[in-house]
Amino acid sequence: MASAIWVSLLALRVGALPARQARAGVTLLTSSELSALAPYTEFARAAYCGSDKVTNWECGEACNAIPGFQTALAGGDGNGVQYYFVGYWPSQNAVVVAHQGTDPTQFLSDLTDVDIAQTTLDSTLFPGVSSDVLVHEGFANEHAKTASNILAATKKLLSQTGATTVINVGHSLGGALAELDSLFLTLNLPSSIHIKAVTYGTPRVGNPAFASLFDAKVPDFKRVNNEADPVPIVPGRFLGFQHPHGEVHIVQPGEAVSCPGDDDATDAQCTISTVPNILEGNILNHLGPYEGIYIGSIFCT
């Protein structure tokens, strides 16, 4: 593992690949746009708090920040299956699907392994997707553990509430699962249902073909990166991975930019330029603060 990590580090340092999409420069987020992210951050935080706490929406500060949320399904054990929940957000008339992340230091080590395998998406879960579309095998396997239950719970809530929006959230590994959920639900729900996703500290999930498909199918997507968090730069692009659109980079507290295109390697304020390799990252930034909110198991208070 150690030799694989150092090979990966070297490639991250010298192996920057050209960007795919044309770019028009970053856009500074307004204070209101930044503050509007807070509820999604709290949902991502709540996903770490365990099924017993989110079932009755009693997970401390995160749950208190979103009063009235109604959990319909909570599962996982935080080990073999990451915690997750599905519920109804009355104030937004939306269904919310959230996934727990994982320990950031172990996760980073795993994601810098040059032997990371890519796989096609399961055609029973992702109907009609080309075999050219490849994703991280571990992420695909983890997603498959909960996909059917999440789809059933989501369909039931949509029918019961009349909601027309599904919001997917997650942090770290949970962000990768939320990204896959967004595409999965887009392909398995009526086109009248609007799919939105907001993720935090998300690693790269798939190859350029996956990024292109995701861009086309899930336009309402934000992936929020915090300062020098190294997790969003792995797995490396030299391994055939690429982020889709939607990067929001928190440059410093109170200041964030929206970065254009897929995997913006051009603009100095975006993640690739800020964290050119993991040696220049700060893993503590992975936990936050995301505009004052920290995400992780130790922040379930």
Side-chain angles (χ1 to χ4, degrees):
M1 174 68 76
S3 60
I5 291 174
W6 283 109
V7 170
S8 182
L9 289 175
L10 177 61
L12 283 169
R13 184 179 291 275
V14 301
L17 302 178
R20 289 179 61 254
Q21 293 190 351
R23 289 167 167 78
V26 301
T27 302
L28 185 67
L29 270 67
T30 65
S31 58
S32 60
E33 287 173 326
L34 266 176
S35 62
L37 293 172
Y40 310 109
T41 317
E42 296 288 12
F43 278 126
R45 180 185 182 185
Y48 279 87
C49 297
S51 303
D52 57 332
K53 295 181 179 179
V54 301
T55 295
N56 296 315
W57 207 238
E58 296 175 345
C59 62
E61 292 178 358
C63 290
N64 293 340
I66 312 168
F69 183 75
Q70 302 164 17
T71 305
L73 172 68
D77 57 14
N79 187 14
V81 179
Q82 302 304 109
Y83 293 130
Y84 66 96
F85 64 81
V86 182
Y88 178 59
W89 188 10
S91 69
Q92 301 300 311
N93 191 31
V95 173
V96 175
V97 180
H99 287 273
Q100 176 199 17
T102 191
D103 176 74
T105 53
Q106 181 59 47
F107 193 42
L108 184 63
S109 176
D110 291 343
L111 291 174
T112 52
D113 191 332
V114 295
D115 294 324
I116 288 173
Q118 292 185 337
T119 187
T120 55
L121 289 167
D122 184 338
S123 61
T124 61
L125 298 177
F126 296 87
V129 172
S130 167
S131 60
D132 293 337
V133 173
L134 301 175
V135 300
H136 185 292
E137 186 174 45
F139 297 164
N141 291 340
E142 187 69 26
H143 174 263
K145 295 176 183 178
T146 61
S148 296
N149 288 343
I150 285 174
L151 179 60
T154 299
K155 285 182 173 179
K156 184 176 181 180
L157 275 177
L158 290 171
S159 175
Q160 289 176 339
T161 66
T164 56
T165 298
V166 178
I167 302 169
N168 299 277
V169 297
H171 167 257
S172 195
L173 170 60
L177 298 176
E179 194 169 306
L180 287 170
D181 264 349
S182 300
L183 180 59
F184 166 66
L185 293 172
T186 296
L187 296 174
N188 287 279
L189 292 175
S191 59
S192 58
I193 302 301
H194 178 74
I195 304 296
K196 176 185 180 73
V198 183
T199 69
Y200 299 84
T202 304
R204 295 185 177 101
V205 172
N207 68 349
F210 170 80
S212 295
L213 176 65
F214 191 92
D215 289 349
K217 296 292 187 180
V218 190
D220 191 354
F221 175 60
K222 289 184 175 64
R223 49 181 183 88
V224 183
N225 300 334
N226 187 46
E227 299 191 44
D229 178 6
V231 171
I233 68 165
V234 293
R237 294 192 295 166
F238 73 100
L239 294 173
F241 287 84
Q242 180 170 297
H243 275 301
H245 70 115
E247 180 184 353
V248 172
H249 186 218
I250 299 173
V251 179
Q252 60 184 358
E255 180 183 348
V257 295
S258 175
C259 300
D262 295 351
D263 248 346
D264 186 343
T266 301
D267 296 297
Q269 291 178 292
C270 298
T271 297
I272 292 177
S273 293
T274 301
V275 193
N277 59 74
I278 63 171
L279 290 177
E280 297 184 40
N282 182 349
I283 195 62
L284 293 179
N285 289 161
H286 187 59
L287 302 175
Y290 296 91
E291 289 305 294
I293 302 169
Y294 287 88
I295 305 176
S297 299
I298 63 173
F299 304 109
C300 289
T301 58

